[in-house]
């Protein structure tokens, strides 16, 4: 985790203090629970909701075409 944080150019002192303090544990656990409730099985997962309330999930790394087709299906007839 620290290597990734360094690659991102984060302030490592601040990162280590925040990570090790548990300051964000409740938020992380709450977000994890919400993901499970929503049926997320992989990251990334995207939820597209059309004007009629229809929802499409796009799971995993997908091409731009997949998103274009999903949006088109939500906005057509």
């Amino acid at each position: 985790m620290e290597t990734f944080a360094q690659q991102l150019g984060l302030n490592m002192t601040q990162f280590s203090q925040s990570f090790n303090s548990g300051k964000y544990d409740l938020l992380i656990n709450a977000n994890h629970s919400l993901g499970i409730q929503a049926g997320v099985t992989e990251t990334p997962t995207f939820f597209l909701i059309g004007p009629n309330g229809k929802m499409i999930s796009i799971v995993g790394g997908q091409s731009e075409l997949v998103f274009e087709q999903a949006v088109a299906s939500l906005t057509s007839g």
Side-chain angles (χ1 to χ4, degrees):
M1 182 71 68
E2 288 185 8
T3 301
F4 185 61
Q6 287 175 331
Q7 290 172 349
L8 292 174
L10 300 181
N11 176 320
M12 292 307 295
T13 301
Q14 186 178 8
F15 173 82
S16 294
Q17 288 173 348
S18 294
F19 187 80
N20 294 326
S21 73
K23 178 179 180 179
Y24 297 104
D25 287 355
L26 287 175
L27 178 61
I28 292 167
N29 291 332
N31 286 333
H32 181 257
S33 293
L34 286 172
I36 290 171
Q37 290 172 7
V40 174
T41 57
E42 294 181 40
T43 57
T45 296
F46 300 90
F47 296 99
L48 301 164
I49 303 170
N52 60 359
K54 180 181 175 186
M55 182 177 78
I56 295 176
S57 298
I58 299 176
V59 179
Q62 301 293 329
S63 69
E64 185 178 336
L65 180 60
V66 171
F67 287 89
E68 289 172 357
Q69 291 172 337
V71 169
S73 74
L74 289 172
T75 57
S76 64

